Amino acid sequence: MNVGIVGGGQLARMLALAGYPLGLCFQILDPATDACAGQVAPLIQGAYDDATRLEALAAWADVVTFDFENVPATAAQVLEQRVAVYPPAGALAVAQDRVAEKTLFWELGIPTPPFATVDCWEELPGAVVQVELPAVLKTRRLGYDGKGQRVIRTVDDLEPAWQALGGVPLILEGFVPFEREVSVLAIRSSSGEIACYPLVENHHRDGILRLSRAPFSGPDLERKGWDYAQRLLNRLDYVGLLAIEFFVKDGRLIANEMAPRVHNSGHWTLEGAETSQFENHLRAILGLPLGATAAVGHSVMLNCIGDLPEPAAVLAMPGAHYHAYGKAPRPGRKVGHLTLRAADPAVLAHGLKRLLPRVGLEADAI
Amino acid sequence: MNVGIVGGGQLARMLALAGYPLGLCFQILDPATDACAGQVAPLIQGAYDDATRLEALAAWADVVTFDFENVPATAAQVLEQRVAVYPPAGALAVAQDRVAEKTLFWELGIPTPPFATVDCWEELPGAVVQVELPAVLKTRRLGYDGKGQRVIRTVDDLEPAWQALGGVPLILEGFVPFEREVSVLAIRSSSGEIACYPLVENHHRDGILRLSRAPFSGPDLERKGWDYAQRLLNRLDYVGLLAIEFFVKDGRLIANEMAPRVHNSGHWTLEGAETSQFENHLRAILGLPLGATAAVGHSVMLNCIGDLPEPAAVLAMPGAHYHAYGKAPRPGRKVGHLTLRAADPAVLAHGLKRLLPRVGLEADAI
């Protein structure tokens, strides 16, 4: 079977590496000649809306998927006329617009922070009254890793935030003073089969995910998260892996955002779950039975931001696994991740203290 | 770091897939344009003794390794003049000649069956007296998967065996009525660090490995096997992964043969050990710390001979993992393997009964 992937970053790279053992072949479309997935699979270099290249990919592939959610709607349309495309374009459209996303959450009974649309400066005061401060002003589209958002603590913050972000459609969201952040990774196959991974606890710095830990022990929260994920998957007639990020506050899950693709907070599944998120995404879009999602031991995933730690220092630690993405170092760029796995949570905690400084975090960061 | 691999079969393929997360790049030399490792890494198509191509590989690579032991001695020499080559040519030379191999075992105090060289028909009767029947007549070189050998039960078998094999240097080995077959997978890094995997129990049919199970519970045997492996690794100044196949008889290990490379009986380590044999071979030849070799649960690996089972039927089983090699089906050809892993040996045994018929074995085969 031939799988086309639009987008050639580390997610595409890890999808291909997970797919080869299933006997799959890959082609990747990316505008960058040095897209890191191109090191492990044939790269079609071209713009995401280049109809000729999209048609070539569609003609070759049995199924096409994405490694990012901001695929131009036109690209998804060109592809969908010719080949099976998962996740469905409708799910991409929802995920591309924070208002559509939060509106859908609300319709499905999934709690969200209060929110209001802000299309022009004049609408901002009304939104502040509706949402209440503190709040976060965000672009409706194309935000990621904390980009395209500003925290509004007082009315004095409004004008600078507007200067930074205004001119495109915005959303004002209530700021949630959360106790922790968690995510749910759920998969739905083209046959309708659904599976969910154990709950993941996430730690961000400056809007960028730095650390994920799983399984997170919280049976009630996990049950809720799985329930919410299933509502979303079924409503969207979703096929593939979907991630939902939640805030935890007073024993409640409050949905922050969803990602219609394999997700950074699921990288621990490569070693820490019976079947990785990458393999399960491929199984889902190919209509194969989903693999077991149970955790194998306890895992922590650490993102390598900017540059990679010395491999020898990491690999000398029992249970440590190294994932370089083949990307050049650059400040703020995700260039790899480490996973530490142990059968015993106490052993994991001990190893984690030693590993944290390797990725620029303090030994007592979590 | 750039790693060259001479030989582009499934072992090279799995080495590359294990090496990408370490940030490695690969080039593969193989005479076949459709060598299956070429689906996952750039392929240099050329003969193993093509000096121009070997020089190009050596110029590009930081280290060169092999996916099979019968690399022409001239090829290893061309490479060694230009680049680090592991395992060392001396280990390849020993492994290429059953007499050199068994002589080295004997020197190191590693038990072997009785054996005698047979260079011409006239030497055969003397060898039979020395070794005693039943025995196995084998070519000294280029035998694999049961090819190039004949069992001699009575003197009547001598002439047909000679007709089939004679004309090249032979070895006559005493036939061991073994209780079981096991293998030891051991790694030595260029820094001299050594690690050994849990003992593996193997089942062959018609000379071809069909099933490996690990960890095999036999602490005394395991201690012996690890000791023998360490003697070999140190004597050969070995770097990389080495496999030794043993017969078990009356609580003793009797060495059958060694393979100076990653080994079919170590494929279970992809899911069943903390670090796979492929990653550990790469760590060793790059001078990186070796990864933990502890088993993660209990695993059985089943070879797919001739063709692959339907993926859906296999993947529907919890704990089952599918490894297609991207090779065309052909009778007797290893085209993939399956691994079944479970935390509980009873669960594993139950699943195994269901999986065995998928690879052409009876449900009660082991």
Side-chain angles (χ1 to χ4, degrees), chain A residues 13 111 226 236 241 256 313:
Chain A
R13 179 182 167 103
W226 290 2
L236 293 167
L241 189 129
N256 180 24

Side-chain angles (χ1 to χ4, degrees), chain A residues 35-53:
Chain A
C36 73
Q39 295 166 15
V40 308
L43 184 71
I44 304 174
Q45 196 255 318
Y48 294 131
D49 56 0
D50 179 327
T52 308
R53 287 185 169 72

Side-chain angles (χ1 to χ4, degrees), chain B residues 13 41 44 46 55 75-76 102 148 157 166 174 206 233 241 254 275 278 280 327 352 360:
Chain B
R13 179 182 168 102
I44 304 175
E55 283 166 18
K102 290 218 157 50
D157 296 330
D206 304 323
L233 291 171
L241 188 130
I254 300 167
T275 314
F278 303 101
N280 256 337
K327 292 160 79 172
L352 183 59

